[in-house]
Amino acid sequence: MNCTYFAAAAGLWWLTVAPLSAATYLTEEAAVKTAFPDCEKGERTVSRLTPKQRAVTQRTAGDARVPEMLVWYAPKTNGRPAGYAVVGRAAGKHGPITYLLAVGADLKIKTVEIMAHREQRGSGIRRKSWRAQFDGKKPGDPLRLGQDIDALTGATVSSQAVTDGVRRDLACLAALLTPVPEKNTPQAEPPKKDAAPHPESPAAENKGTSTVKWVLGNRYLQEEHKGEKMGTPYEGIGLTGYDNYK
């Protein structure tokens, strides 16, 4: 038992303080191996989210508390990614709770493993029956206590902390792995109907007729044209004259 005391006007008073319970159950390597027993662990990656990725995460998770860094692994089978594992930390009542969020290649949750618990109460969140509620969830699902996740009796604070953390980390991972489109990316303009053909393209063939005759005392030459150009019918007339004063 941890005890402390303080002085008061009437003498000394003793105050009993419950010791803080801190337990580490799994290392990162052991947690990844538990979630992906038949896979290669892959390298530990620390990624910094861009402002756009953080903004996407905030919208998806419905939470402004988005981490700037993400620690994750990409376990592999025969050289191909079998899924992803994120090392997350949730703010408990007395200290952080460390967990591993494991998802498949389709980003559906495989399991949530509790790695370390530093709370005086709430270690029951390690129970498989409670953690199994996350299995199969995907980005965009509510992942909220009281909706699709039930709180654990006697561990409401820890349940809330881990649920919120898993929702944020899943949204972070999805934003990290999905390219964010640029708003101002110029789009290629569709070719104009009357645009000049490419020099290497085959010559286009247009059919038509032309009638030429003398008019106005045989001093003007009149030309009438009818035909199609690039599939559009057209008509035209022209006059070529002689200037007597020149």
Side-chain angles (χ1 to χ4, degrees):
M1 179 177 66
N2 292 347
C3 298
T4 187
Y5 65 89
F6 60 91
L12 294 177
W13 294 81
W14 289 87
L15 177 65
T16 301
V17 180
L20 181 64
S21 175
T24 299
Y25 309 109
L26 294 169
T27 62
E28 287 187 13
E29 184 174 354
V32 174
K33 189 65 177 178
T34 299
F36 297 90
D38 301 322
C39 302
E40 303 171 15
K41 177 172 66 69
E43 295 184 1
R44 186 180 192 268
T45 304
V46 180
S47 300
R48 180 182 294 275
L49 275 70
T50 66
K52 289 186 178 181
Q53 290 171 336
R54 298 185 74 240
V56 170
T57 300
Q58 290 175 344
R59 291 196 300 268
T60 304
D63 196 330
R65 299 168 298 172
V66 176
E68 294 185 358
M69 312 289 290
L70 199 69
V71 179
W72 58 290
Y73 294 80
K76 298 181 179 180
T77 301
N78 297 327
R80 295 185 176 183
Y84 306 94
V86 177
V87 179
R89 289 168 68 88
K93 186 175 182 179
H94 300 287
I97 302 170
T98 307
Y99 58 86
L100 183 90
L101 166 64
V103 303
D106 56 0
L107 298 187
K108 290 184 178 180
I109 297 179
K110 290 171 56 68
T111 185
V112 174
E113 299 289 339
I114 305 300
M115 298 169 55
H117 189 273
R118 303 168 182 85
E119 298 286 84
Q120 294 180 1
R121 302 178 62 185
S123 60
I125 58 174
R126 293 186 61 219
R127 297 175 188 170
K128 179 60 179 176
S129 58
W130 184 78
R131 293 183 291 111
Q133 297 182 91
F134 295 96
D135 298 355
K137 297 290 193 297
K138 61 185 182 301
D141 286 345
L143 281 168
R144 293 184 180 275
L145 219 60
Q147 294 189 30
D148 52 349
I149 303 294
D150 294 329
L152 185 66
T153 303
T156 305
V157 174
S158 297
S159 300
Q160 183 75 67
V162 173
T163 301
D164 290 346
V166 167
R167 185 178 68 254
R168 287 193 300 268
D169 288 344
L170 185 59
C172 280
L173 183 63
L176 186 67
L177 298 177
T178 304
V180 179
E182 297 288 342
K183 290 184 178 180
N184 297 324
T185 301
Q187 301 293 326
E189 294 185 1
K192 295 181 179 179
K193 188 174 183 180
D194 295 331
H198 192 275
E200 297 181 0
S201 62
E205 182 178 346
N206 299 311
K207 296 182 179 181
T209 61
S210 178
T211 302
V212 182
K213 62 181 180 179
W214 290 101
V215 296
L216 300 175
N218 293 334
R219 291 191 303 114
Y220 289 86
L221 191 65
Q222 177 179 296
E223 299 179 73
E224 294 182 0
H225 307 278
K226 293 183 180 180
E228 290 186 357
K229 183 179 180 180
M230 299 182 68
T232 303
Y234 76 94
E235 294 184 6
I237 187 171
L239 289 173
T240 303
Y242 177 77
D243 189 344
N244 292 330
Y245 295 99
K246 290 187 179 181

